[in-house]
Amino acid sequence: MTELDVTLTVNGERRRARVEPRKTLADLRRQDLLLTGTHLACEHGVCGSCTVLVDGEAVRSCLMFGVQADGAEVTTVEGLAGDEPGSLSAVQQAFQQTHGLQCGFCTPGFVVSVTAVLDEVPDTDDEQIKDALSGNLCRCTGYQGIIKAVRLAARLRRQAEAPAGERA
């Protein structure tokens, strides 16, 4: 099968790969770019474990071909934190603080999905949270910790964006 050249920006870094047209973005990311933080589970777009941001939109990477990402900006769970080693994004901090995870397998997909939700609707309510995360499945947590994590992440983001004198 003919391979195609793909150039994309992943977590702020321009990357190139040569892939078969049928290779998914999930496989391109894991096999060619060696970014394994985002997991694969159902490979049918049902569970949300493989969620990444493509040009700022949450996308199931198992449903997108790598060649479709040519020229795109892709952000994986590895790219959400700051550049400093050990730093965490507000969403990652919130999941850690509220125990919004158990086994952790689905967590990268939730973290990326929550990031996309809060980018779009910073002051989201519980119904919006539930609706936005309905495409992410977790077998362990019962979702209460995840919802608490989203609420806390929204608060942490608001505090970080507030002028220095207004931070609580």
Side-chain angles (χ1 to χ4, degrees):
M1 180 169 281
T2 304
E3 292 185 338
L4 301 171
D5 290 320
V6 175
T7 303
L8 55 162
T9 302
V10 182
N11 301 330
E13 183 182 335
R14 191 167 170 87
R15 306 286 299 265
R16 290 175 180 252
R18 192 159 181 79
V19 298
E20 291 183 5
R22 66 182 180 185
K23 187 174 233 177
T24 65
L25 178 58
D27 289 335
L28 166 65
R29 181 183 39 75
R30 292 181 66 81
Q31 296 167 6
D32 299 281
L33 304 179
L34 303 177
L35 294 169
T36 58
T38 306
H39 298 137
L40 277 173
C42 73
E43 297 191 54
H44 296 287
V46 175
C47 71
S49 291
C50 68
T51 304
V52 298
L53 300 177
V54 177
D55 295 329
E57 298 289 323
V59 170
R60 305 293 190 259
S61 63
C62 72
L63 295 180
M64 183 175 186
F65 292 115
V67 295
Q68 290 175 291
D70 189 32
E73 173 95 21
V74 177
T75 305
T76 68
V77 71
E78 292 97 337
L80 295 178
D83 292 332
E84 191 158 325
S87 65
L88 298 174
S89 72
V91 176
Q92 291 167 321
Q93 288 174 17
F95 268 76
Q96 181 184 48
Q97 290 175 20
T98 62
H99 305 289
L101 55 103
Q102 275 184 357
C103 81
F105 192 84
C106 65
T107 305
F110 270 101
V111 168
V112 172
S113 293
V114 169
T115 299
V117 168
L118 294 179
D119 285 348
E120 189 174 323
V121 186
D123 293 319
T124 185
D125 63 29
D126 283 359
E127 286 307 309
Q128 290 170 317
I129 293 169
K130 291 174 187 176
D131 184 55
L133 298 180
S134 64
N136 291 75
L137 302 178
C138 176
R139 296 179 136 186
C140 303
T141 65
Y143 298 94
Q144 294 311 308
I146 293 169
I147 292 170
K148 286 179 189 175
V150 178
R151 287 187 208 128
L152 177 58
R155 191 167 62 246
L156 291 173
R157 284 173 141 215
R158 282 192 303 273
Q159 288 172 351
E161 293 171 1
E166 297 177 23
R167 292 183 190 157

